[in-house]
Amino acid sequence: MIRRNISILETTKSSLKDFNYDDFVFGVQPTDHLFLSAFKNKKWQNHRIEPFRNLSLSPNTLCLHYGQTVFEGMKAFRQENGAIHIFRPDRHHSRLNKSLDRMSMPQIPKDLFMAAIEELVRLDQQWIPRNKDISLYIRPFVIATEPRLGVKIADEYLFCITCSPMGLYYPKPVQVKIETRFIRAAEGGVGYTKCGGNYGASFYPTQKAKDEGFDQIIWTDATTKKYLEEAGTMNIMAVINNKLVTPPLSNTILDGVTRDSILQIAKDLKIETEIRRIPYEELRSEMKNGNKVELFGVGTAAVISPISRISIEAEDYFPYIEKDAIMFQLKQQLEKIRKGNIPDTHKWNHFI
Protein backbone atom coordinates (compact mmCIF):
# COMPACT_ATOMS: atom_id res chain seq x y z
CA MET A 1 0.00 0.00 0.00
CA ILE A 2 1.19 3.52 -0.81
CA ARG A 3 0.36 4.74 2.71
CA ARG A 4 2.87 2.33 4.21
CA ASN A 5 5.50 3.60 1.78
CA ILE A 6 5.21 7.21 2.95
CA SER A 7 7.91 7.96 5.49
CA ILE A 8 6.87 10.55 8.07
CA LEU A 9 9.19 12.84 10.01
CA GLU A 10 7.20 15.02 12.38
CA THR A 11 8.30 18.49 13.37
CA THR A 12 9.66 19.04 16.85
CA LYS A 13 8.44 22.63 16.95
CA SER A 14 4.99 23.56 15.66
CA SER A 15 4.30 27.08 14.38
CA LEU A 16 0.63 26.80 15.32
CA LYS A 17 0.96 28.33 18.79
CA ASP A 18 2.16 31.60 17.24
CA PHE A 19 -0.54 31.78 14.55
CA ASN A 20 -3.25 34.45 14.91
CA TYR A 21 -6.49 33.27 13.29
CA ASP A 22 -8.03 36.70 13.75
CA ASP A 23 -5.36 38.50 11.74
CA PHE A 24 -3.59 36.67 8.94
CA VAL A 25 -3.01 36.85 5.20
CA PHE A 26 -3.90 33.75 3.20
CA GLY A 27 -1.00 31.83 1.72
CA VAL A 28 1.77 33.42 3.77
CA GLN A 29 1.88 31.03 6.74
CA PRO A 30 2.23 27.33 5.87
CA THR A 31 1.31 24.54 8.23
CA ASP A 32 4.02 22.45 9.89
CA HIS A 33 4.58 19.79 7.23
CA LEU A 34 4.80 19.15 3.50
CA PHE A 35 4.67 16.08 1.28
CA LEU A 36 7.35 15.28 -1.30
CA SER A 37 7.76 12.61 -3.97
CA ALA A 38 10.33 12.41 -6.76
CA PHE A 39 9.88 11.13 -10.31
CA LYS A 40 13.04 9.43 -11.55
CA ASN A 41 13.69 6.49 -13.83
CA LYS A 42 10.10 6.72 -15.05
CA LYS A 43 8.41 6.18 -11.66
CA TRP A 44 7.33 8.09 -8.57
CA GLN A 45 9.46 7.23 -5.54
CA ASN A 46 10.78 8.36 -2.17
CA HIS A 47 7.38 9.43 -0.81
CA ARG A 48 7.78 11.37 2.41
CA ILE A 49 6.26 13.91 4.77
CA GLU A 50 8.71 16.26 6.44
CA PRO A 51 8.70 19.48 8.46
CA PHE A 52 8.01 22.40 6.14
CA ARG A 53 11.20 23.66 4.53
CA ASN A 54 12.51 25.45 1.47
CA LEU A 55 13.30 23.51 -1.68
CA SER A 56 16.77 23.38 -3.19
CA LEU A 57 16.96 23.58 -6.99
CA SER A 58 19.67 24.10 -9.55
CA PRO A 59 19.52 27.43 -11.40
CA ASN A 60 19.28 25.30 -14.55
CA THR A 61 16.16 23.46 -13.36
CA LEU A 62 13.86 23.10 -16.35
CA CYS A 63 10.70 24.36 -14.61
CA LEU A 64 12.39 27.73 -14.11
CA HIS A 65 12.88 28.17 -17.84
CA TYR A 66 10.28 26.29 -19.88
CA GLY A 67 7.06 26.31 -17.90
CA GLN A 68 6.46 22.72 -16.84
CA THR A 69 4.58 23.64 -13.67
CA VAL A 70 1.09 22.42 -12.74
CA PHE A 71 -0.90 22.83 -9.54
CA GLU A 72 -4.25 22.21 -7.87
CA GLY A 73 -6.20 23.97 -5.13
CA MET A 74 -8.52 22.16 -2.74
CA LYS A 75 -9.75 22.39 0.85
CA ALA A 76 -10.20 20.40 4.04
CA PHE A 77 -12.93 21.33 6.53
CA ARG A 78 -13.77 20.60 10.14
CA GLN A 79 -17.42 19.77 10.69
CA GLU A 80 -19.33 20.86 13.78
CA ASN A 81 -18.85 17.42 15.35
CA GLY A 82 -15.08 17.76 14.94
CA ALA A 83 -14.70 15.38 11.97
CA ILE A 84 -12.24 16.41 9.24
CA HIS A 85 -12.95 15.92 5.55
CA ILE A 86 -11.39 16.87 2.23
CA PHE A 87 -13.87 18.20 -0.30
CA ARG A 88 -14.05 16.22 -3.55
CA PRO A 89 -10.39 15.11 -3.75
CA ASP A 90 -11.16 12.59 -6.49
CA ARG A 91 -12.35 15.38 -8.78
CA HIS A 92 -9.22 17.41 -8.04
CA HIS A 93 -7.03 14.40 -8.75
CA SER A 94 -8.70 13.91 -12.12
CA ARG A 95 -8.20 17.56 -13.03
CA LEU A 96 -4.57 17.53 -11.92
CA ASN A 97 -3.84 14.58 -14.19
CA LYS A 98 -5.64 16.28 -17.06
CA SER A 99 -3.36 19.30 -16.63
CA LEU A 100 -0.26 17.11 -16.33
CA ASP A 101 -1.12 15.23 -19.49
CA ARG A 102 -1.47 18.48 -21.48
CA MET A 103 1.88 19.70 -20.18
CA SER A 104 3.66 16.41 -21.05
CA MET A 105 4.29 15.65 -17.38
CA PRO A 106 3.91 12.29 -15.61
CA GLN A 107 0.52 11.68 -14.03
CA ILE A 108 0.06 11.06 -10.32
CA PRO A 109 -1.40 7.63 -9.41
CA LYS A 110 -4.67 8.07 -7.53
CA ASP A 111 -3.60 5.95 -4.57
CA LEU A 112 -0.47 8.08 -4.12
CA PHE A 113 -2.44 11.32 -4.42
CA MET A 114 -5.11 10.26 -1.92
CA ALA A 115 -2.69 8.75 0.61
CA ALA A 116 -0.41 11.80 0.50
CA ILE A 117 -3.24 14.26 1.10
CA GLU A 118 -4.89 12.14 3.78
CA GLU A 119 -1.67 11.70 5.73
CA LEU A 120 -0.68 15.35 5.44
CA VAL A 121 -4.11 16.65 6.51
CA ARG A 122 -4.25 14.12 9.34
CA LEU A 123 -0.87 15.31 10.61
CA ASP A 124 -1.75 19.02 10.39
CA GLN A 125 -5.46 18.83 11.24
CA GLN A 126 -5.04 20.98 14.35
CA TRP A 127 -4.52 23.92 11.98
CA ILE A 128 -8.27 23.78 11.26
CA PRO A 129 -9.73 25.47 14.34
CA ARG A 130 -13.06 24.72 15.95
CA ASN A 131 -15.79 27.37 16.02
CA LYS A 132 -14.19 29.52 13.31
CA ASP A 133 -15.01 29.84 9.63
CA ILE A 134 -11.51 28.70 8.65
CA SER A 135 -10.63 25.90 6.21
CA LEU A 136 -7.32 24.32 5.31
CA TYR A 137 -6.24 25.16 1.79
CA ILE A 138 -4.30 22.32 0.15
CA ARG A 139 -1.88 23.05 -2.68
CA PRO A 140 -0.60 20.00 -4.62
CA PHE A 141 1.84 20.90 -7.38
CA VAL A 142 4.26 19.24 -9.78
CA ILE A 143 7.37 20.85 -11.26
CA ALA A 144 10.07 19.69 -13.67
CA THR A 145 13.31 19.37 -11.67
CA GLU A 146 15.81 18.06 -14.21
CA PRO A 147 18.88 20.38 -14.02
CA ARG A 148 19.51 21.10 -17.67
CA LEU A 149 19.27 23.98 -20.10
CA GLY A 150 17.69 23.16 -23.43
CA VAL A 151 14.09 23.09 -24.58
CA LYS A 152 12.94 19.57 -23.81
CA ILE A 153 10.41 17.57 -21.86
CA ALA A 154 11.98 16.88 -18.48
CA ASP A 155 12.84 13.40 -17.25
CA GLU A 156 12.69 14.30 -13.54
CA TYR A 157 9.90 15.91 -11.50
CA LEU A 158 8.88 16.79 -7.96
CA PHE A 159 5.37 16.28 -6.56
CA CYS A 160 4.83 18.46 -3.51
CA ILE A 161 1.84 19.30 -1.29
CA THR A 162 1.69 22.23 1.11
CA CYS A 163 -1.17 23.57 3.23
CA SER A 164 -2.20 26.92 4.63
CA PRO A 165 -5.15 28.16 6.76
CA MET A 166 -7.72 30.10 4.80
CA GLY A 167 -10.63 32.40 5.61
CA LEU A 168 -12.56 34.42 3.03
CA TYR A 169 -10.60 35.00 -0.18
CA TYR A 170 -12.82 37.95 -1.04
CA PRO A 171 -14.17 39.36 2.26
CA LYS A 172 -16.53 41.74 0.43
CA PRO A 173 -18.36 41.82 -2.94
CA VAL A 174 -15.97 42.19 -5.84
CA GLN A 175 -15.79 44.79 -8.57
CA VAL A 176 -14.86 43.63 -12.05
CA LYS A 177 -14.45 44.84 -15.61
CA ILE A 178 -15.06 43.06 -18.89
CA GLU A 179 -11.74 42.54 -20.65
CA THR A 180 -11.95 42.93 -24.42
CA ARG A 181 -8.39 43.86 -25.34
CA PHE A 182 -6.27 41.09 -23.82
CA ILE A 183 -7.11 37.38 -23.90
CA ARG A 184 -6.52 34.62 -21.39
CA ALA A 185 -6.74 31.55 -23.62
CA ALA A 186 -7.50 30.49 -27.18
CA GLU A 187 -8.91 27.31 -28.68
CA GLY A 188 -6.28 24.60 -28.84
CA GLY A 189 -4.24 26.13 -26.01
CA VAL A 190 -3.84 25.27 -22.35
CA GLY A 191 -6.62 27.42 -20.90
CA TYR A 192 -8.33 24.43 -19.29
CA THR A 193 -5.22 23.47 -17.29
CA LYS A 194 -3.94 24.83 -13.99
CA CYS A 195 -0.45 25.53 -15.28
CA GLY A 196 1.66 28.40 -14.04
CA GLY A 197 1.84 30.10 -17.43
CA ASN A 198 -1.90 30.77 -17.50
CA TYR A 199 -1.60 32.84 -14.35
CA GLY A 200 1.61 34.62 -15.25
CA ALA A 201 0.14 35.76 -18.57
CA SER A 202 -2.92 37.19 -16.82
CA PHE A 203 -1.03 39.43 -14.40
CA TYR A 204 -0.51 42.43 -16.68
CA PRO A 205 -4.15 43.08 -17.69
CA THR A 206 -5.34 42.19 -14.18
CA GLN A 207 -2.95 44.67 -12.60
CA LYS A 208 -4.07 47.36 -15.03
CA ALA A 209 -7.64 46.69 -13.91
CA LYS A 210 -6.62 46.87 -10.25
CA ASP A 211 -4.95 50.19 -10.92
CA GLU A 212 -8.35 51.37 -12.13
CA GLY A 213 -10.02 50.26 -8.89
CA PHE A 214 -11.25 46.79 -9.84
CA ASP A 215 -10.63 43.52 -8.00
CA GLN A 216 -10.64 41.26 -11.03
CA ILE A 217 -11.39 41.07 -14.73
CA ILE A 218 -13.78 38.83 -16.62
CA TRP A 219 -12.13 37.37 -19.68
CA THR A 220 -13.97 37.14 -22.98
CA ASP A 221 -13.42 34.62 -25.77
CA ALA A 222 -10.33 35.05 -27.92
CA THR A 223 -12.19 34.96 -31.25
CA THR A 224 -15.02 37.47 -30.94
CA LYS A 225 -14.35 38.99 -27.51
CA LYS A 226 -18.11 39.09 -26.99
CA TYR A 227 -18.75 36.16 -24.68
CA LEU A 228 -17.91 35.72 -20.99
CA GLU A 229 -15.40 32.98 -20.20
CA GLU A 230 -14.06 33.18 -16.63
CA ALA A 231 -12.40 35.49 -14.14
CA GLY A 232 -8.79 35.20 -13.08
CA THR A 233 -9.54 33.30 -9.88
CA MET A 234 -12.98 31.81 -10.50
CA ASN A 235 -15.59 30.58 -12.94
CA ILE A 236 -18.44 32.95 -13.74
CA MET A 237 -22.16 32.42 -13.14
CA ALA A 238 -25.19 34.64 -13.54
CA VAL A 239 -28.85 34.56 -12.60
CA ILE A 240 -30.96 36.02 -15.40
CA ASN A 241 -34.76 35.85 -15.23
CA ASN A 242 -34.43 33.57 -12.17
CA LYS A 243 -32.39 31.08 -14.20
CA LEU A 244 -28.83 30.10 -13.28
CA VAL A 245 -26.61 30.53 -16.34
CA THR A 246 -22.93 29.72 -16.84
CA PRO A 247 -20.64 29.35 -19.87
CA PRO A 248 -20.04 25.83 -21.19
CA LEU A 249 -16.73 24.10 -20.55
CA SER A 250 -14.19 24.21 -23.34
CA ASN A 251 -10.43 24.03 -23.71
CA THR A 252 -10.28 27.71 -22.77
CA ILE A 253 -12.17 27.42 -19.46
CA LEU A 254 -11.10 25.65 -16.29
CA ASP A 255 -13.37 22.77 -15.23
CA GLY A 256 -14.08 24.21 -11.79
CA VAL A 257 -14.92 21.80 -8.98
CA THR A 258 -17.01 24.44 -7.21
CA ARG A 259 -18.72 25.21 -10.52
CA ASP A 260 -19.68 21.56 -10.89
CA SER A 261 -20.87 21.42 -7.26
CA ILE A 262 -23.05 24.52 -7.59
CA LEU A 263 -24.68 23.23 -10.78
CA GLN A 264 -25.57 20.01 -8.97
CA ILE A 265 -26.88 21.87 -5.93
CA ALA A 266 -29.03 24.06 -8.19
CA LYS A 267 -30.47 20.91 -9.72
CA ASP A 268 -31.16 19.50 -6.24
CA LEU A 269 -32.97 22.72 -5.27
CA LYS A 270 -35.03 22.67 -8.50
CA ILE A 271 -33.43 25.90 -9.70
CA GLU A 272 -33.57 26.09 -13.46
CA THR A 273 -30.11 26.10 -15.02
CA GLU A 274 -28.75 26.73 -18.47
CA ILE A 275 -25.23 26.11 -19.72
CA ARG A 276 -24.66 28.39 -22.69
CA ARG A 277 -22.49 31.19 -23.99
CA ILE A 278 -23.26 34.53 -22.32
CA PRO A 279 -22.66 37.66 -24.42
CA TYR A 280 -21.78 40.61 -22.24
CA GLU A 281 -24.25 42.65 -24.28
CA GLU A 282 -27.00 40.50 -22.78
CA LEU A 283 -25.92 41.50 -19.29
CA ARG A 284 -25.79 45.14 -20.29
CA SER A 285 -29.22 45.03 -21.90
CA GLU A 286 -30.83 43.30 -18.94
CA MET A 287 -29.39 45.75 -16.40
CA LYS A 288 -30.10 48.79 -18.57
CA ASN A 289 -33.73 47.70 -18.68
CA GLY A 290 -33.82 47.54 -14.89
CA ASN A 291 -34.04 43.76 -14.70
CA LYS A 292 -32.57 41.93 -11.72
CA VAL A 293 -29.31 40.24 -12.67
CA GLU A 294 -27.06 38.37 -10.29
CA LEU A 295 -23.42 37.93 -11.23
CA PHE A 296 -20.92 36.00 -9.14
CA GLY A 297 -17.73 34.00 -9.24
CA VAL A 298 -17.32 30.43 -8.00
CA GLY A 299 -14.10 28.66 -7.11
CA THR A 300 -12.25 26.69 -4.45
CA ALA A 301 -10.72 29.84 -2.98
CA ALA A 302 -13.53 32.25 -3.86
CA VAL A 303 -16.37 29.80 -2.97
CA ILE A 304 -19.24 32.08 -4.10
CA SER A 305 -18.20 35.71 -4.45
CA PRO A 306 -20.92 38.23 -5.39
CA ILE A 307 -20.06 40.88 -7.96
CA SER A 308 -21.35 44.30 -6.92
CA ARG A 309 -20.06 46.34 -9.88
CA ILE A 310 -19.20 45.43 -13.44
CA SER A 311 -17.70 47.78 -16.00
CA ILE A 312 -18.69 47.12 -19.60
CA GLU A 313 -16.85 49.30 -22.09
CA ALA A 314 -16.28 51.96 -19.41
CA GLU A 315 -19.92 51.96 -18.26
CA ASP A 316 -20.70 50.77 -14.72
CA TYR A 317 -23.57 48.43 -13.88
CA PHE A 318 -24.61 47.05 -10.52
CA PRO A 319 -25.80 43.44 -10.28
CA TYR A 320 -28.21 42.35 -7.56
CA ILE A 321 -26.50 41.30 -4.31
CA GLU A 322 -29.27 41.49 -1.69
CA LYS A 323 -29.65 38.73 0.92
CA ASP A 324 -32.48 36.96 -0.92
CA ALA A 325 -30.35 36.44 -4.05
CA ILE A 326 -30.28 32.91 -5.44
CA MET A 327 -26.48 32.78 -5.20
CA PHE A 328 -26.69 32.99 -1.41
CA GLN A 329 -29.15 30.11 -1.32
CA LEU A 330 -26.65 28.05 -3.30
CA LYS A 331 -23.76 29.10 -1.04
CA GLN A 332 -25.71 28.26 2.10
CA GLN A 333 -26.54 24.80 0.78
CA LEU A 334 -22.89 24.15 -0.10
CA GLU A 335 -21.79 25.23 3.38
CA LYS A 336 -24.37 22.97 5.01
CA ILE A 337 -23.00 19.99 3.10
CA ARG A 338 -19.44 20.82 4.09
CA LYS A 339 -20.35 21.37 7.75
CA GLY A 340 -22.41 18.20 7.95
CA ASN A 341 -25.69 19.99 8.66
CA ILE A 342 -27.50 18.17 5.84
CA PRO A 343 -26.86 14.75 4.27
CA ASP A 344 -23.99 14.56 1.79
CA THR A 345 -26.04 12.71 -0.81
CA HIS A 346 -23.36 13.04 -3.50
CA LYS A 347 -20.57 11.74 -1.24
CA TRP A 348 -18.39 14.80 -1.77
CA ASN A 349 -16.90 14.86 1.74
CA HIS A 350 -13.91 12.52 1.99
CA PHE A 351 -13.29 11.95 5.71
CA ILE A 352 -9.83 11.20 7.04
Side-chain angles (χ1 to χ4, degrees), residues 161-276:
I161 308 173
T162 65
C163 301
S164 179
M166 184 173 191
L168 294 174
Y169 192 77
Y170 291 115
K172 60 183 181 180
V174 297
Q175 303 183 62
V176 302
K177 66 175 288 189
I178 297 291
E179 180 57 62
T180 56
R181 178 184 174 191
F182 299 98
I183 64 168
R184 174 186 172 273
E187 289 290 332
V190 296
Y192 66 91
T193 72
K194 285 186 77 70
C195 68
N198 281 341
Y199 295 81
S202 72
F203 286 157
Y204 180 74
T206 301
Q207 186 57 52
K208 288 179 69 69
K210 288 182 177 181
D211 291 342
E212 297 171 11
F214 299 98
D215 301 300
Q216 267 293 340
I217 58 180
I218 297 180
W219 299 100
T220 52
D221 67 292
T223 304
T224 69
K225 297 183 180 177
K226 294 180 179 179
Y227 298 93
L228 308 190
E229 293 227 313
E230 64 173 69
T233 56
M234 48 197 178
N235 293 114
I236 288 296
M237 289 186 167
V239 175
I240 304 171
N241 297 321
N242 292 315
K243 182 186 298 184
L244 179 66
V245 186
T246 195
L249 295 177
S250 68
N251 60 21
T252 64
I253 294 178
L254 186 70
D255 185 1
V257 176
T258 306
R259 173 189 180 277
D260 181 77
S261 303
I262 293 300
L263 286 173
Q264 181 60 58
I265 289 171
K267 182 179 179 181
D268 296 341
L269 296 177
K270 310 295 190 217
I271 296 172
E272 188 176 359
T273 63
E274 188 175 6
I275 299 174
R276 63 170 173 84

Side-chain angles (χ1 to χ4, degrees), residues 88-348:
R88 304 194 71 178
D90 53 340
R91 182 96 182 186
H92 284 282
H93 169 258
S94 176
R95 189 172 68 178
L96 175 65
N97 275 346
K98 189 175 181 180
S99 296
L100 290 169
D101 181 62
R102 180 62 178 83
M103 299 302 291
S104 296
M105 301 168 72
Q107 298 194 359
I108 306 296
K110 187 174 183 179
D111 58 345
L112 173 60
F113 182 86
M114 296 299 292
I117 289 177
E118 287 174 8
E119 291 298 317
L120 186 59
V121 172
R122 183 178 290 110
L123 199 58
D124 283 350
Q125 63 181 284
Q126 296 306 316
W127 284 81
I128 314 176
R130 296 176 182 268
N131 305 317
K132 287 184 180 290
D133 193 16
I134 302 290
S135 59
L136 187 66
Y137 185 84
I138 305 166
R139 169 54 60 86
F141 65 93
V142 183
I143 59 174
T145 54
E146 182 181 349
R148 172 179 172 176
L149 294 181
V151 181
K152 71 178 290 288
I153 295 172
D155 293 320
E156 298 176 3
Y157 298 85
L158 179 71
F159 172 34
C160 181
I161 308 173
T162 65
C163 301
S164 179
M166 184 173 191
L168 294 174
Y169 192 77
Y170 291 115
K172 60 183 181 180
V174 297
Q175 303 183 62
V176 302
K177 66 175 288 189
I178 297 291
E179 180 57 62
T180 56
R181 178 184 174 191
F182 299 98
I183 64 168
R184 174 186 172 273
E187 289 290 332
V190 296
Y192 66 91
T193 72
K194 285 186 77 70
C195 68
N198 281 341
Y199 295 81
S202 72
F203 286 157
Y204 180 74
T206 301
Q207 186 57 52
K208 288 179 69 69
K210 288 182 177 181
D211 291 342
E212 297 171 11
F214 299 98
D215 301 300
Q216 267 293 340
I217 58 180
I218 297 180
W219 299 100
T220 52
D221 67 292
T223 304
T224 69
K225 297 183 180 177
K226 294 180 179 179
Y227 298 93
L228 308 190
E229 293 227 313
E230 64 173 69
T233 56
M234 48 197 178
N235 293 114
I236 288 296
M237 289 186 167
V239 175
I240 304 171
N241 297 321
N242 292 315
K243 182 186 298 184
L244 179 66
V245 186
T246 195
L249 295 177
S250 68
N251 60 21
T252 64
I253 294 178
L254 186 70
D255 185 1
V257 176
T258 306
R259 173 189 180 277
D260 181 77
S261 303
I262 293 300
L263 286 173
Q264 181 60 58
I265 289 171
K267 182 179 179 181
D268 296 341
L269 296 177
K270 310 295 190 217
I271 296 172
E272 188 176 359
T273 63
E274 188 175 6
I275 299 174
R276 63 170 173 84
R277 301 182 81 185
I278 306 172
Y280 66 77
E281 283 294 349
E282 178 182 356
L283 295 180
R284 173 154 52 189
S285 176
E286 290 285 344
M287 287 185 281
K288 266 190 172 180
N289 291 333
N291 297 328
K292 185 170 70 175
V293 173
E294 298 176 30
L295 192 63
F296 55 101
V298 297
T300 296
V303 190
I304 289 182
S305 294
I307 293 171
S308 59
R309 175 171 73 110
I310 180 171
S311 176
I312 303 175
E313 296 178 336
E315 284 188 86
D316 285 347
Y317 300 89
F318 303 93
Y320 188 79
I321 59 169
E322 298 302 319
K323 291 182 179 180
D324 63 340
I326 288 174
M327 62 180 151
F328 296 129
Q329 299 176 37
L330 295 166
K331 182 178 182 180
Q332 184 180 52
Q333 196 76 353
L334 177 61
E335 290 176 343
K336 286 180 178 179
I337 293 171
R338 287 174 168 172
K339 292 179 179 179
N341 295 328
I342 60 175
D344 175 21
T345 57
H346 302 292
K347 296 180 171 50
W348 289 338

Side-chain angles (χ1 to χ4, degrees), residues 11 13-21 29-32 78 123-129 134 136 165:
T11 186
K13 187 178 180 181
S14 174
S15 301
L16 180 57
K17 61 183 177 61
D18 299 320
F19 188 74
N20 183 358
Y21 283 101
Q29 175 64 58
T31 58
D32 291 322
R78 185 184 296 277
L123 199 58
D124 283 350
Q125 63 181 284
Q126 296 306 316
W127 284 81
I128 314 176
I134 302 290
L136 187 66

